[in-house]
Amino acid sequence: MRPEHRDRAKIDAARRVTERYFEDAAARGDDYLEGVLNDTLYHEQRRLERENPSDAKTRAELAFYQGIRRELLQLQGSDLRSLLDRVTRRFSDEIVGNFDERVYQLTTTVVPAGLSVLLSAASPRQLLSGSLRQRLGEHLQIQGAVDQVRKLLEKGTLIVVPTHSSHLDSIVLGYAVYLMGMPPLLYGAGLNLFTNPLTSFFMHNLGAYRVDRKKSAALYKDVLKEYASVSLELGYSNLFFPGGTRSRSGAVEQKLKKGLLGTGLEAYVNNLRAKRENPNLYVVPCTISYKLVLEAETLIDDYLKEIGKSRYIIEDDEFSKPRKVLKFLSNIMSLDSRIVITFSAPLDIVGNRVDGEGRSLDARGRAVDPFSYVARGGEPVHDEQRDNQYTNELSEAIVAAFRRDNVVMSTHVVGHASMALLKQKNPELDLYRLLRTGGELPSLEISELAEQVDRVIAALRDNPSGPRLGRELDQGDARMIIDDALRYFGTYHTQPAAIRRGSRFVHQHRNLLLYYGNRLNAYDLGRRLGGAYVQAA
Amino acid sequence: MTDETVGVIGAGSWGTTLAKVLGENGRRTLLWSRRSELCQEINATRRNEVYLPGIDLPTTVEATHDLERVSASAQLLLLVVPSHGLRQIAYELGDHVSGEHVIVHATKGIEQESFKRMSEVLREETCVRKIGVLSGPNLARELALGQPTGTLIASRYDEVFRRCHATLHNGYFRVYWGEDVVGAEVGGAFKNIVSLASGIATGLGFGDNTRALLVTRGISEMARLGMTMGANILTFAGMAGIGDVVATCFSSLSRNHQVGLRLARGESLAEIQGGMNMVAEGVKTSKAVHSFALRKGIELPIVRAVHRVLYEGQDVQSAVRELMATPTGAEFLVSLPS
């Protein structure tokens, strides 16, 4: 974001949030503002209690909130407003951060090259070779509505909404966007990405702003959302992960968080009100598919531990260990792996399809004016209840796109098929015991597994609403697919998910098999395959 | 918005009745029918003698066969057409509507082959998002005579209810609101099957105990089906569930009840349908529901019995014997959300 825009966005976001609270206070009385401040203090206090008390940043924050608390006890009326204003501005300052413009300009030119090194695990010397881009192309496959997405940039502002399985997603997508010749996407990244030595470098180029997931106060979330909205209005395309966090189970997201998603509609109405030249917002669903996921082990463990409970925030996973990340990358690169990014057909803010010219279309392909959805008596208006429902409809359209454009790979099919067979052979075991013990037999006959793989693939092919099949599934027979998956399962993870011994498939790390198999959860395989089926929870 | 024009699409007995209510509430109402001679008759005589004989319509109601004019004049559209015709009309309407329109349908049926609900069909055929369903104990003729009743408007959008309430609610017609579109649609479609079964019971000379048994177990089946489709079970205890079932099962005015009655007297389905100028939705709905339940493995004994009588040539006596021979168990197979 350009520096003058950044400052403006920072100020506007804080101002709009406080103004909205002031409006509410006008209707509900000043007690309301006091309640908001107390709620914020409470959440911040609790968060800070868990931080290291000798840390300078923590001390400064504690001092700030103690000051606010002291004043709150003495003040009322209009002074409450200035307190709220101070807290809000502190949040917006934190979110936007203090970027050094010189660093920003440096990263804009250097980072894509740096990322190339990371992705190809190549030596810096190779950077100079002209074939680098081509080599990278071998590992990163970008497909789907690429041309349309590029074209829509001229017609309005984009919100790219990808599936989320790894911290690498934002980097990989950032790189894809660079290859497509598009400007960086603005992105709210977790603080851990800023402290991670490998990625802090990239975050700036992605136009990242800081999101502290540990801050749970409603006021903080309001400022975050408002910042996203202001940046969209300034014409900066954004990247939102609509699932909220990385998928713990490995499944493609089927429920989305509506908060951030709804800012697109807000920005659209504001654009119309301000009579901006290109008011349209386009939502671009996108799937990122990996044969192996960097953090798979931690994610599935967290999922199994936390089913039914509130999940914790993972801070210490594979991603925080640079050596692990490099091992992951160089391993999958040496296997000629592909990370497949698929852009789905772009949508408008209520979930209608959009054509190449940026026009919204109804389900029968007839042009629709998106303005009509937010118009009342010829004027664009906000309506919270209506807009929430529009966002629900948009979210349903995104979920359908994920299901349709998810690229299924050998590891997913073999994970699914092997777990289904294990479940079938051990009907008396619940999922947890099955995962721990593996049941009666330590291995499966590969011929039997191959039959199940064929059944799964046939059922997926038969499904009119997706998914896409990866290259190796389209070309290879079941045994080749199993071999391919075993090659991947044998690399990178601490313990291979499975290995081959003669004609047997030895399942070793069943949590991982479950994790990769869960990628197929959205396709109703239970009904399609009868009893030969398993999925968690 | 207080003086908005309302469009009613479909000039059958229920559409004409709703137009009459709107007109009496002082709304300018455009009543659409594909048949221009019917429109002329309504405008000339202020009556719709074919579908609502003997009832005078207020001067605020104007009949037209120009769909484009209706959607240009009115943002609130009530769609009151038989379920088998809804997709076609929705498609035509799709040429004229925008995101600003509100469409509320009052069609109690399910699309035959696809098993899609009417709101799903509307979503596929138009760009409109603000969609709702009107359903309740609403026998057209009683409402047309100004006898007190109520109805449910179910929609995800508050605005849909607000606008329907502002235009429809009055001293004899109470308009309630709910969010459960699926429940309202399943209730409205399913009650026609129960009504048909109840007609058979009446025709066989059974009394109130039998009808009450059918009604109660019918609602139980309705809820079982609805919940697999994502409905809220409480909807079936409301206007669009029990309210509608009671009205149609105990009324001789109900078409579905009539069909059941005549089946019990030994007439064939073909004979009965040949002599009716109105559609008994239960005849088609029982077929659609029966095949859906088979596919999904849902146990619906009353639906199965009605299906056997209508489509498998079973005589009503043995259908009743079979129904009474199905095993009983716990009354509630579902528990209320805590």
Side-chain angles (χ1 to χ4, degrees):
Chain A
M1 202 184 261
R2 294 223 298 276
E4 70 271 23
H5 282 165
R6 203 175 58 231
D7 290 341
R8 190 174 145 197
K10 184 159 76 177
I11 294 162
D12 277 1
R15 183 180 47 78
R16 284 190 195 177
V17 170
T18 42
E19 274 173 8
R20 208 174 308 136
Y21 276 99
F22 292 170
E23 271 170 37
D24 288 348
R28 303 190 198 183
D30 283 338
D31 284 356
Y32 172 68
L33 284 189
E34 206 177 323
V36 172
L37 279 163
N38 275 320
D39 178 77
T40 309
L41 283 172
Y42 169 76
H43 282 99
E44 283 296 274
Q45 193 75 40
R46 271 186 39 156
R47 175 180 68 84
L48 289 165
E49 277 164 13
R50 281 180 245 124
E51 298 290 327
N52 176 5
S54 55
D55 178 61
K57 187 165 164 275
T58 309
R59 282 214 305 275
E61 285 190 289
L62 276 169
F64 174 77
Y65 287 113
Q66 271 156 13
I68 298 285
R69 184 182 300 279
R70 235 188 343 265
E71 288 185 54
L72 185 59
L73 290 173
Q74 295 156 5
L75 302 179
Q76 13 168 275
S78 62
D79 298 323
L80 280 173
R81 285 154 207 249
S82 90
L83 275 192
L84 186 81
D85 190 46
R86 257 161 62 199
V87 177
T88 312
R89 274 190 288 123
R90 186 181 177 92
F91 283 152
S92 86
D93 281 350
E94 265 173 34
I95 290 163
V96 179
N98 293 309
F99 295 137
D100 183 330
E101 195 189 340
R102 284 163 306 174
V103 173
Y104 175 78
Q105 290 191 337
L106 184 72
T107 52
T108 321
T109 51
V110 172
V111 160
L115 187 59
S116 306
V117 178
L118 187 66
L119 273 178
S120 64
S123 70
R125 217 172 345 138
Q126 285 177 286
L127 270 181
L128 303 171
S129 94
S131 66
L132 182 69
R133 208 183 139 132
Q134 200 186 338
R135 286 203 49 233
L136 277 166
E138 288 166 18
H139 296 300
L140 190 61
Q141 183 182 341
I142 307 169
Q143 59 181 26
V146 174
D147 291 336
Q148 194 189 352
V149 170
R150 223 185 268 132
K151 210 168 153 199
L152 285 181
L153 264 181
E154 296 159 20
K155 312 275 178 190
T157 307
L158 309 188
I159 302 175
V160 178
V161 287
T163 55
H164 196 11
S165 31
S166 166
H167 282 319
L168 285 178
D169 290 343
S170 55
I171 300 172
V172 165
L173 193 67
Y175 187 62
V177 162
Y178 165 78
L179 288 180
M180 287 161 70
M182 289 165 52
L185 301 170
L186 205 66
Y187 160 56
L191 280 183
N192 55 331
L193 292 178
F194 284 91
T195 49
N196 184 313
L198 262 175
T199 52
S200 61
F201 187 58
F202 301 109
M203 285 303 115
H204 296 84
N205 181 59
L206 282 165
Y209 53 95
R210 291 149 206 258
V211 178
D212 186 347
R213 293 217 182 79
K214 286 192 258 173
K215 286 200 171 72
S216 49
L219 186 63
Y220 178 73
K221 291 178 183 165
D222 285 345
V223 178
L224 266 182
K225 279 186 265 179
E226 204 57 56
Y227 181 73
S229 178
V230 174
S231 71
L232 288 168
E233 290 164 42
L234 287 168
Y236 289 92
S237 292
N238 269 246
L239 164 66
F240 296 165
F241 286 112
T245 59
R246 291 167 296 168
S247 164
R248 296 302 198 260
S249 66
V252 176
E253 290 86 343
Q254 293 187 70
K255 276 230 159 75
L256 307 182
K257 300 259 190 235
K258 314 287 162 48
L260 199 52
L261 208 51
T263 57
L265 191 54
E266 187 189 328
Y268 176 61
V269 173
N270 288 339
N271 280 348
L272 290 170
R273 286 175 146 185
K275 301 195 164 36
R276 292 207 171 84
E277 199 181 337
N278 288 324
N280 282 0
L281 269 292
Y282 301 111
V283 178
V284 185
C286 142
T287 62
I288 307 176
S289 308
Y290 302 87
K291 272 193 191 172
L292 289 180
V293 172
L294 173 69
E295 307 100 311
E297 286 163 274
T298 309
L299 291 171
I300 189 69
D301 285 350
D302 182 42
Y303 175 70
L304 292 169
K305 254 184 248 157
E306 299 295 320
I307 294 174
K309 296 185 215 155
S310 65
R311 292 167 192 170
Y312 57 88
I313 295 162
I314 302 172
E315 290 197 300
D316 181 28
D317 58 19
E318 294 85 344
F319 190 71
S320 60
K321 303 177 184 87
R323 197 182 293 269
K324 192 93 180 162
V325 177
L326 283 174
K327 182 183 174 207
F328 173 81
L329 289 167
S330 69
N331 272 345
I332 62 172
M333 292 309 156
S334 66
L335 281 172
D336 182 29
S337 167
R338 273 168 195 251
I339 299 169
V340 183
I341 297 187
T342 309
F343 288 96
S344 303
L347 307 167
D348 71 8
I349 32 92
V350 299
N352 286 311
R353 242 171 351 111
V354 166
D355 71 8
E357 297 304 311
R359 279 178 310 217
S360 298
L361 305 176
D362 72 6
R364 289 278 172 217
R366 293 173 290 206
V368 186
D369 182 0
F371 169 67
S372 66
Y373 291 101
V374 295
R376 193 170 296 155
E379 292 298 319
V381 291
H382 292 289
D383 173 336
E384 195 181 342
Q385 201 278 338
R386 177 200 70 191
D387 294 351
N388 287 342
Q389 295 309 321
Y390 283 159
T391 303
N392 284 335
E393 307 222 21
L394 170 63
S395 151
E396 285 159 19
I398 294 171
V399 166
F402 283 174
R403 199 164 47 228
R404 206 170 44 240
D405 288 327
N406 173 32
V407 177
V408 173
M409 297 173 164
S410 60
T411 47
H412 308 135
V413 171
V414 173
H416 192 281
S418 57
M419 283 307 291
L421 287 181
L422 282 177
K423 182 89 181 169
Q424 207 176 34
K425 290 179 187 302
N426 301 281
E428 72 290 353
L429 296 184
D430 66 31
L431 180 68
Y432 289 87
R433 288 178 71 104
L434 183 65
L435 289 172
R436 209 169 51 245
T437 65
E440 294 283 302
L441 293 167
S443 63
L444 298 165
E445 190 59 52
I446 285 192
S447 58
E448 193 184 5
L449 182 60
E451 282 170 25
Q452 181 69 8
V453 164
D454 277 335
R455 276 196 289 273
V456 170
I457 293 175
L460 292 174
R461 277 223 172 88
D462 197 33
N463 192 329
S465 57
R468 292 173 181 240
L469 298 186
R471 193 171 49 166
E472 74 277 13
L473 301 193
D474 252 349
Q475 292 165 0
D477 68 9
R479 279 167 188 276
M480 285 164 68
I481 291 164
I482 294 170
D483 283 344
D484 188 67
L486 281 169
R487 273 200 306 149
Y488 281 87
F489 284 149
T491 173
Y492 173 63
H493 288 304
T494 359
Q495 188 189 8
I499 54 169
R500 184 189 191 119
R501 203 168 283 151
S503 67
R504 312 281 300 175
F505 175 94
V506 185
H507 46 90
Q508 294 194 324
H509 197 343
R510 287 162 295 274
N511 287 8
L512 282 175
L513 294 175
L514 177 74
Y515 174 85
Y516 288 109
N518 278 345
R519 201 74 186 159
L520 310 185
N521 278 0
Y523 303 106
D524 202 14
L525 291 173
R527 205 169 55 76
R528 286 162 193 272
L529 295 178
Y533 176 66
V534 64
Q535 90 186 15
Chain B
M1 217 69 75
T2 48
D3 52 357
E4 75 173 309
T5 299
V6 184
V8 177
I9 294 161
S13 58
W14 186 219
T16 309
T17 300
L18 286 171
K20 176 175 183 278
V21 173
L22 290 161
E24 284 183 349
N25 290 350
R27 304 291 157 174
R28 186 163 163 262
T29 306
L30 290 175
L31 177 61
W32 178 88
S33 165
R34 199 183 291 285
R35 294 160 53 194
S36 61
E37 68 281 6
L38 179 64
C39 296
Q40 280 164 13
E41 183 204 310
I42 292 171
N43 289 335
T45 65
R46 311 244 42 86
R47 281 194 177 188
N48 183 346
E49 278 302 331
V50 182
Y51 294 104
L52 202 62
I55 303 283
D56 289 323
L57 298 174
T59 52
T60 37
V61 175
E62 182 194 341
T64 172
H65 67 282
D66 183 349
L67 202 54
E68 186 172 359
R69 188 182 151 220
V70 176
S71 37
S73 317
Q75 278 186 359
L76 174 58
L77 302 172
L78 304 186
L79 197 49
V80 199
V81 297
S83 62
H84 60 84
L86 189 131
R87 186 177 283 278
Q88 176 59 30
I89 289 178
Y91 172 72
E92 290 170 35
L93 203 54
D95 283 339
H96 310 301
V97 287
S98 77
E100 230 174 329
H101 279 90
V102 169
I103 302 183
V104 175
H105 78 81
T107 298
K108 293 172 176 176
I110 294 262
E111 191 170 59
Q112 282 284 84
E113 293 77 27
S114 68
F115 209 73
K116 282 183 175 144
R117 294 173 287 106
M118 295 299 118
S119 62
E120 294 178 291
V121 175
L122 281 169
R123 191 70 169 63
E124 287 177 0
E125 299 297 338
T126 73
C127 68
V128 175
R129 291 293 187 283
K130 289 179 271 187
I131 292 172
V133 48
L134 179 153
S135 186
N138 299 148
L139 297 158
R141 193 155 189 90
E142 288 182 11
L143 182 64
L145 291 167
Q147 297 176 11
T149 188
T151 201
L152 169 72
I153 302 290
S155 175
R156 292 161 82 156
Y157 294 87
D158 288 1
E159 183 187 339
V160 173
F161 166 71
R162 280 201 307 273
R163 289 167 82 161
C164 286
H165 188 270
T167 49
L168 281 166
H169 186 93
N170 66 23
Y172 60 88
F173 193 41
R174 301 179 60 75
V175 178
Y176 292 84
W177 173 63
E179 291 180 311
D180 180 17
V181 175
V182 179
E185 292 186 316
V186 170
F190 199 96
K191 65 100 193 194
N192 288 323
I193 307 173
V194 184
S195 168
L196 218 149
S198 158
I200 294 176
T202 309
L204 289 172
F206 297 138
D208 292 340
N209 283 348
T210 314
R211 272 201 298 273
L213 174 68
L214 268 173
V215 164
T216 318
R217 294 312 298 168
I219 289 170
S220 177
E221 289 187 22
M222 178 191 282
R224 216 173 299 154
L225 173 72
M227 288 179 74
T228 63
M229 296 172 73
N232 176 347
I233 191 170
L234 285 176
T235 303
F236 304 111
M239 286 283 173
I242 199 163
D244 201 3
V245 171
V246 168
T248 39
C249 288
F250 289 83
S251 165
S252 54
L253 292 176
S254 155
R255 282 169 245 167
N256 294 289
H257 193 90
Q258 290 285 339
V259 171
L261 209 65
R262 292 169 67 181
L263 282 168
R265 290 182 188 145
E267 290 183 59
S268 75
L269 183 59
E271 285 166 357
I272 300 166
Q273 286 188 312
M276 274 187 136
N277 65 357
M278 295 189 268
V279 180
E281 290 273 2
V283 174
K284 288 172 298 158
T285 307
S286 56
K287 190 172 192 174
V289 170
H290 180 67
S291 73
F292 180 79
L294 277 183
R295 270 206 314 279
K296 294 276 174 181
I298 313 166
E299 179 63 13
L300 304 175
I302 297 174
V303 175
R304 189 173 53 227
V306 169
H307 188 267
R308 287 205 176 142
V309 171
L310 288 176
Y311 297 105
E312 298 170 36
Q314 188 175 30
D315 68 281
V316 286
Q317 306 281 358
S318 77
V320 171
R321 271 199 305 279
E322 252 180 52
L323 194 54
M324 292 305 288
T326 54
T328 57
E331 184 177 13
F332 298 108
L333 290 176
V334 291
S335 52
L336 279 174
S338 54

